[in-house]
Amino acid sequence: MRTPPSIRCRSNRCRCDRWRHWRRGCWCAGTRCRTIANCGQGSRAVEFDTVIHGGTIVTASERYAGDIGITDGRICAVAERLAGGTRRIDAGGRLVMPGGIEAHAHIAQESASGIMTADGYLSGSISAAFGGNSSFIPFAAQHRGQSIDDVIATYDARARPSVIDYSWHLIVSDPTEEVLHDQLPRAFARGITSLKVFTTYDLLNIGDAGMLDILSVARDHGALTMVHAENHAMVAWMNGELGARGLTAPKYHALSRPELAEEEAINRAITLAQLSGAPLFVVHVSTAGGAARVQRARGEGGQVFAETCPQYLALTRDDLDRPGMEGAKFICSPPLRDAATQDALWRHVQTGTFDSVSSDHAPYRFDGTGKLMHGQGAPYPKIANGMPGIAARLPWLFSEGVVKGRLRLEDFVALTSTNAARIFGAAKKGRITPGMDADIAIWNPEAVRKVTLADQHDNMDFTPFEGMELTGVPEIVMTRGEVIVAHGTLHGKEGQGRFFARAPMGRTGRPGMPVKEVELMRAGAGQ
Ligand code: DUC
Ligand code: ZN
Ligand code: ZN
C-alpha cells in the first residue's frame, strides 16, 4: 500500500480528496496535471507514463515545437520541454498530431440486400490504425423490422475485438412510433448521438415524411441527423432507361446516378432540416452543386455540416471503364464523377464547405462474397456499392493536400480529426491539450511510399488507390496512450479499443434558418 501523498492538488477547480498513485495525482488528473505543467516545471518532478519529445505538435489552429506528457491514457501536460517519462518517444523531425477519427466507415455491416462487409472490427480497426486513426465511428444499421435496441446489442458484440476506440452512428430505415419516441431516445442517452438516413435504395429510403419525423426527434434530443442524399426516383428512372438499352456494364453505374440526383436530394434534405429546425450532416458529397447548396445553407445560418471522400477527389468515372469487370471495383454511391467536379470539390475542401474528409470505407471484395456475388458478368445494379479506403484516407489527403500545397497542416488536422470530434460530440478526442485522451499519430512527413494492398492491412483483395505514390507516413499511432502501430508493426491487442459515448450537439454559433410559418405556429401555440 502506498503512503498518501505529501502534496495536495491546489487547483481551485479540484474538489477531489482521493489519490490514486501519489506520483500520478488525484482522480481529477487533467486539472492537476495542467496545474503542474503550468507552474510546477522544475519545482517538482512529474512522472509520466510516456513523454513524446522533440516533435512539432500540430493542432487544428497552430503548430509549435513541444513535448507531450501522458499518464493513464490522458494527455497530462504539453510544454516546451518535459523531463521524465517511463517511456520516452523521440519525435525529432516528426509531426505530432491528433490521431485520425474516421467518421464514416462500414464495418461488420450487412448491406440492405444482406452482403456482409469483408472487414469486421478486428481487421477494420487494424487497418484504420495503420492509416493513422486512433478511433472511428462506423455505422450500426437498422434493417426494417429490427429494434434499435437489438441493433445496438448486435454491434456491441461485433465491435468487441476492436484495437482502437469506437462509437457508432445509427442507420435508421424503419422509423416506427416506438423507434422514434422510445428506442432512439434510449440510444441517444447512451451516447450514440448521431444517426444516418437514406433518401434512396428500396430497402433504406425513408421518404420525406420519415425524414421530418427523424429530424424532429433528433433535434429534440440534441442528436445529429446525417443523410445519404440521392433522388431515388431519378436513379430508378435512369436504371430503367439504361436497362432498356442493354447498358449494364459497370461504367453505366456512373450514368445511372446523375449529379442532378444528388443535388436535388441535398437541396431537399437541407430544406427539410430547415423546416424542422434540426442540424444536418450531408455525407459523401460528390457534386459541385451539392457542395454549393451546403455552402449556401451555411451562409444563411444553417447548422449544416458536410464531408467528401478521397475517392471523389482522386478517381473519376473513367475508372469504372477499366477492362472486363475491373470497373466493378470502383462502383460506389454516389458514383465517381469527372475532373471538373474534382476541381470544384477541392475548392470546397479548401474554403471550408467540408468539415471533414472521410473514407466511406465499404469493403466488398472482388469475389463471390462481395462485388461478384451475382456472377462475373453481373449488371451494375447487382454489384455492391462501396470501396475500401480506411487506411488510405489520411496518407492520401496528407500527400495530395498538404504536400502538394492545397491544405495547411492545421487544415489537415481539422478535416481528419478535430472537426469530427467537435461535431459528433467526442469530447475527449481530436485535440492535443491536457485532459484529452492521448490519441496521437506521429507522422514522418517526408517518407515516400507506393500504396499497396498489403499496406492497407484490411481484409480486402484490392485497393482503389493501388500504385499511387504518396508522401507522408503515420509511423506511430496511439489510442489512449497505448501504441497500436509503430513503424509498420502492430502492437495493439484485440479488444483493446473501448466504446466512447458522445455528447449531444453543443451550440454551433449559427443562428439557424428560421421558417416564418413555423415561428408563427409556435407563437400561436404559446411555445
Ligand atoms: N453509401 C455509403 O455511405 N456507403 C456505401 C454505399 C452507400 O450507398
Ligand atoms: Zn451513403
Ligand atoms: Zn458510407
Side-chain angles (χ1 to χ4, degrees), residues 197-231:
V197 296
F198 286 77
T199 63
T200 186
Y201 296 128
D202 290 334
L203 297 173
L204 293 172
N205 173 20
I206 56 161
D208 292 356
M211 189 155 169
L212 281 168
D213 286 343
I214 287 179
L215 283 162
S216 308
V217 167
R219 175 206 60 210
D220 288 347
H221 291 84
L224 179 58
T225 304
M226 306 159 80
V227 64
H228 171 134
E230 289 181 289
N231 181 301

Side-chain angles (χ1 to χ4, degrees), residues 8 22 110 144 149 170 188 205 250 289 304 340-341 372 420 424:
R8 292 192 56 180
W22 69 271
E110 299 97 344
R144 289 195 178 148
D149 303 284
L170 292 166
F188 300 149
N205 173 20
V304 179
T341 299
L372 304 178
F424 294 114

Side-chain angles (χ1 to χ4, degrees), residues 353-365:
T353 304
F354 294 120
D355 300 282
S356 49
V357 176
S358 306
S359 73
D360 193 2
H361 183 73
Y364 300 109
R365 290 170 64 95

Side-chain angles (χ1 to χ4, degrees), residues 97-102 132-136 164 393-394 416-417 439 441:
M97 305 196 268
I101 301 174
E102 172 60 75
N133 296 287
S134 294
S135 64
F136 60 169
I164 60 173
R393 171 182 79 123
L394 297 176
T416 57
S417 181
D439 285 9

